[in-house]
Amino acid sequence: MPRVSTILLTGFEAFDGAASNSSGDAVALVASRWSSPIRLVTAVLPVAFDGAPQLIGSLIAEHRPELVIATGLANGRPAITPERLAINLADARIPDNAGAQPLDEPVDEAGPAAYFSGLPVKAIVARLAAEGIPSTLSQTAGTFVCNAVMYSLMRTVAGTHVRAGFIHVPSSPELAVGTAHPSVPIETIARALELAIEVCLEPESLERIRGGAEY
Ligand code: PCA
């Protein structure tokens, strides 16, 4: 990977009737206390199949980051989950914020079935676990807007030196009120994203880490 002078970190706005989105809130917290000389560009993406992929594409064209980490909320997951794969499928259980609800459509007619994350996903999980932050590897980013963003992001950077990928984060305690969802404080989620950035900036370790799953 070339020397990193700009990082793009994105979260999402609220969706599905919630008051906020822990990914967008955590990204804002990271931005507010960023002190590295590396330029950090942050953005909150709309939860829209037609909008979010285009916005991340235009942010990459405008700011030319060497590292891109997109994040989103995985309501119900108990841990920070770097995503291993984005698949070429949009199949929405609920409408997005623009009312779109694609059913078994490709994200990109001309694209391959899937893209792997360009981030050192297992090393991120290992670092977070070592810091006492719950983290597990997720094999796929689902089939809603987050997956569409990760897929488009990976398609945009394919064949370039830009390192990119996606991390799903849990609900914050405020979002989980009145639900059975597990939650992690915004402060911890923000710290996890800072650590994930640190891991991405380190020279890649040759250590191989197990992270398979039966389901
Ligand atoms: N989570 C949703 C979309 C936006 C977000 O934060 C998802 O996982 O697809």
Side-chain angles (χ1 to χ4, degrees):
M1 182 166 80
R3 204 178 62 81
V4 172
S5 54
T6 301
I7 299 169
L8 174 62
L9 177 67
T10 69
F12 275 98
E13 66 182 2
F15 68 106
D16 198 19
S20 61
N21 185 318
S22 47
S23 67
D25 293 347
V27 165
L29 184 54
V30 172
S32 74
R33 63 191 192 191
W34 186 252
S35 61
S36 156
I38 297 174
R39 183 167 67 118
L40 178 71
V41 176
T42 60
V44 173
L45 305 179
V47 181
F49 281 100
D50 186 10
Q54 293 87 335
L55 180 54
I56 203 161
S58 62
L59 288 166
I60 291 169
E62 183 183 349
H63 299 289
R64 302 262 158 220
E66 294 87 5
L67 172 64
V68 184
I69 302 181
T71 72
L73 166 65
N75 240 332
R77 277 197 193 157
I80 315 288
T81 48
E83 296 293 350
R84 196 175 224 181
L85 271 177
I87 60 176
N88 194 4
L89 178 67
D91 187 14
R93 182 182 61 80
I94 52 172
D96 70 13
N97 285 356
Q101 194 172 5
L103 181 91
D104 291 349
E105 291 173 19
V107 175
D108 186 330
E109 299 269 357
Y115 282 104
F116 284 102
S117 174
L119 305 181
V121 287
K122 289 176 169 177
I124 293 172
V125 169
R127 172 68 69 83
L128 298 192
E131 300 279 339
I133 298 175
S135 180
T136 53
L137 185 61
S138 167
Q139 311 298 339
T140 146
T143 58
F144 195 47
V145 177
C146 289
N147 172 70
V149 161
M150 180 178 174
Y151 185 92
S152 309
L153 170 59
M154 300 321 300
R155 190 150 168 74
T156 301
V157 304
T160 74
H161 290 296
V162 179
R163 200 170 214 196
F166 195 97
I167 301 178
H168 262 121
V169 304
S171 286
S172 60
E174 303 73 55
L175 272 176
V177 167
T179 75
H181 292 153
S183 66
V184 171
I186 293 294
E187 162 61 35
T188 308
I189 298 173
R191 180 76 193 122
L193 299 182
E194 289 162 352
L195 288 166
I197 290 173
E198 256 179 57
V199 172
C200 292
L201 295 175
E202 286 164 3
E204 235 174 306
S205 151
L206 295 176
E207 188 194 357
R208 300 179 70 217
I209 304 168
R210 282 197 200 282
E214 287 73 57
Y215 52 87

